Amino acid sequence: MTIQEAKFQYLLRLGDSSLIIGHRLSEWCGSGPILEEDIALINIALDFVGNATAILGYAATVEGNGRTEDDLAFLRGEREFRNLLITEQPNGDYAATITRQFLYDVYTYYLYEALKSSKDETIAALAEKSHKEITYHLRHTTEWMYRLGDGTAESHERMQNAMNDLWMFTGEMFDMDEVDAILIKEGIAPDLNTIKEKWEAHVKPVIAEATLQVPSYNFKQKGSREGKHSEHLGFLLAEMQSVHRSFPGAKW
Amino acid sequence: MEDEKKIAAFEAKIAAGNKIEPKDWMPEAYRKQLIRMMSQHAHSEIVGMLPEGNWITRAPNLRRKAILLAKVQDEAGHGLYLYSATETLGIDRTELLEQLHTGKAKYSSIFNYPTLTWADIGAIGWLVDGAAIMNQTALARGSYGPYSRAMVRICKEESFHNRQGYEIMMHLAQGTPEQKAMAQDALNRWWWPSIMMLGPSDDQSPNSEQLMRWKVKMESNDAIRQRFIDRTVPQADFIGLSIPDKDLKFNEATGHYEHGPINWEEFFEVIKGNGPCNAKRLKARTDADKKGRWVRDAAVAYAEKKKLKAA
Ligand SMILES: [Fe+2]
Ligand SMILES: [Fe+2]
Ligand SMILES: [Fe+2]
């Protein structure tokens, strides 16, 4: 695998995760628990779509086959997407949405922090911008972790259930393969073992303060690195790509 | 009961072009009318998120997706801003939302029509936001300070939405034959509801002389509708779409377009709750309210716990 190929794969992982979790958040539109949260969720979704557009645009440039960010977003199938499994999990109730977002935000907080010093200048610049947004996202989701975890008996139970359901998708966030090995060597991407340490050191105290338990099981789902997704992704893409694919070659 | 001197002073203030502020004395009829209008406006902003939100997940490219998200975020922001402005009249958001959920308060008739294709997103921005601007630039000159200031701020964003909607339509109209047909179909379906959303014609809704004098109502519905039509017809011509009104013609003498008869029966049916989406929209709002209750309860419980700990 060449550096260029590794970089393309890596950018798909970043860009697809943003695109898919942004899509999930946008599904809340108009049905949030309170108007202020509707606004926050749309705002965060917008940040993710913006980030995905920039990263997939750069991926297309790196690939150099004349594809665009829209081609990558709208004309790839389920097996070609590289988003993390956690990002495609359904919204569920607000507890599931907040928990999913928290576990993922902490991950991107440290990942993008490290990417700010990537030797690839474009990645470094994109990370710089995104990290500011992620800092805000993380503050928002952390506040809700406390409110819902330590709110009422019902909210606590819903949060613990969400944590139990989603924890299994956190392991693969730190999986590394040849792509990572090549980019670590080039100083383009960080070693995910160091991100994992920071993630655990951050996530566990928040979970404890939210009066929740870290699930005791060690079982982890994985597969997104090879494009092996949960059944949810196919439906999400069918919806997302429907208009674009119905009018081949059309301009919008 | 209301002191005649107070009314005289209140009216003199308005006649002099000054704004009425929340702490100022105001007649009860003025307060009630403003609560009705402002909350109806706020409700329209948040119910309007539903038909447009429908297409966020299916937007045809990333740029359009981002623009639509930003628009819907603006509309939610307008809702929040207008609820706060309405609260200055001594009623809180919970009560206003209850009026919406129980059907006691209305929202704009236009959002009871379905968004069937992507072109509807263009049509809404172009026509619905366009019609809203005509109404709101008038309201920005109204006498109640918080509402008038809200209108000034909101109108700027609505103009942006209007341009983006028109831009969507322009791309479709210049696109493939299927895209053009989609745009024309959207215009066919949204034209009449858009001109109806500006309210019943003047002979059916006599503007009370009092509301005009109090600068609650600034212009008649028909006058606003005329401005909207005069502005929009040339825009349709420019992109090669045709207005679905065979009687539409330009009157050289008056400089205005004359339109065919409006189906007011349809309008009043929609207002009564019998439009294609009334039940669906209201259910979406009440479902969100019910589904969110435990979240709001948790937030309150947590805040109280924190207060106790701090004490
Ligand atoms: Fe943001
Ligand atoms: Fe608005
Ligand atoms: Fe708008």
Side-chain angles (χ1 to χ4, degrees), chain A residues 43 47 133 136-137:
Chain A
N43 182 266
D47 286 343
E133 295 169 350
Y136 155 75
H137 302 163

Side-chain angles (χ1 to χ4, degrees), chain A residues 66-85:
Chain A
R67 287 206 278 186
T68 65
E69 57 270 38
D70 284 326
D71 294 333
L72 291 174
F74 295 96
L75 297 175
R76 280 180 301 149
E78 294 87 328
R79 298 278 287 111
E80 295 166 281
F81 265 76
R82 291 293 179 268
N83 60 288
L84 290 166
L85 298 176

Side-chain angles (χ1 to χ4, degrees), chain B:
Chain B
M1 297 268 278
E2 281 161 358
D3 192 339
E4 274 173 34
K5 265 190 199 159
K6 279 183 182 167
I7 293 193
F10 166 83
E11 292 193 345
K13 201 171 187 179
I14 292 172
N18 293 318
K19 301 290 180 200
I20 302 299
E21 296 301 333
K23 288 208 174 75
D24 295 342
W25 182 88
M26 61 187 83
E28 207 37 44
Y30 178 86
R31 182 193 307 274
K32 283 220 175 90
Q33 177 67 15
L34 276 165
I35 289 178
R36 203 184 64 81
M37 280 172 64
M38 291 169 72
S39 65
Q40 187 170 321
H41 191 165
H43 299 327
S44 303
E45 299 282 359
I46 61 164
V47 176
M49 292 168 68
L50 300 168
E52 293 191 278
N54 233 349
W55 285 89
I56 291 172
T57 55
R58 290 175 291 174
N61 66 26
L62 293 169
R63 178 170 168 262
R64 291 287 169 211
K65 192 189 285 287
I67 292 173
L68 182 55
L69 274 164
K71 177 187 198 280
V72 175
Q73 187 189 357
D74 285 347
E75 307 300 7
H78 298 168
L80 189 60
Y81 194 54
L82 283 164
Y83 282 125
S84 306
T86 314
E87 285 182 326
T88 63
L89 290 161
I91 185 165
D92 65 21
R93 206 209 298 180
T94 320
E95 195 178 338
L96 294 171
L97 285 173
E98 209 173 279
Q99 293 177 351
L100 171 67
H101 298 153
T102 55
K104 197 182 151 209
K106 300 273 180 245
Y107 54 87
S108 177
S109 58
I110 195 80
F111 298 120
N112 292 313
Y113 291 87
T115 47
L116 300 180
T117 70
W118 168 253
D120 291 27
I121 297 305
I124 288 182
W126 176 33
L127 303 173
V128 178
D129 286 78
I133 291 167
M134 293 299 154
N135 191 26
Q136 292 169 18
T137 42
L139 290 171
R141 292 179 274 117
S143 62
Y144 188 55
Y147 194 30
S148 138
R149 287 188 291 273
M151 286 303 93
V152 172
R153 197 170 125 175
I154 288 173
C155 267
K156 281 187 198 139
E157 291 181 348
E158 304 294 15
S159 309
F160 207 52
H161 302 162
N162 175 246
R163 278 205 300 277
Q164 287 160 344
Y166 186 57
E167 202 209 334
I168 290 177
M169 293 303 262
M170 188 184 289
H171 271 82
L172 295 174
Q174 293 165 353
T176 66
E178 282 162 299
Q179 283 177 301
K180 182 163 185 183
M182 196 199 271
Q184 184 61 55
D185 170 61
L187 175 55
N188 293 348
R189 284 180 290 110
W190 288 92
W191 173 254
W192 291 103
S194 298
I195 64 172
M196 285 193 269
M197 77 177 253
L198 291 166
S201 63
D202 297 349
D203 53 350
Q204 292 173 85
S205 126
N207 285 294
S208 106
E209 184 271 331
Q210 191 185 52
L211 289 181
M212 288 289 218
R213 184 158 32 95
W214 285 353
K215 295 188 184 167
V216 169
K217 183 97 192 165
M218 301 300 293
E219 239 182 310
S220 83
N221 295 344
D222 284 340
I224 296 174
R225 186 165 17 250
Q226 188 63 55
R227 275 198 293 127
F228 172 65
I229 293 172
D230 287 343
R231 180 176 181 268
T232 309
V233 175
Q235 293 176 335
D237 290 344
F238 183 73
I239 57 177
L241 296 179
S242 47
I243 302 285
D245 178 357
K246 61 176 172 32
D247 299 318
L248 187 79
K249 58 174 181 294
F250 188 69
N251 183 326
E252 296 284 350
T254 62
H256 294 297
Y257 284 92
E258 286 166 5
H259 60 81
I262 294 175
N263 182 357
W264 289 115
E265 211 174 298
E266 174 182 323
F267 175 76
F268 289 113
E269 277 302 308
V270 175
I271 291 286
K272 262 195 281 174
N274 302 331
C277 297
N278 294 64
K280 186 170 188 277
R281 300 289 184 247
L282 199 57
K283 186 169 186 310
R285 287 312 320 165
T286 51
D287 281 355
D289 187 62
K290 275 184 225 145
K291 215 170 56 175
R293 180 155 302 143
W294 70 268
V295 179
R296 297 190 296 274
D297 289 347
V300 170
Y302 177 74
E304 272 163 15
K305 276 187 207 174
K306 254 191 119 174
K307 223 192 288 165
L308 271 180
K309 267 186 214 155

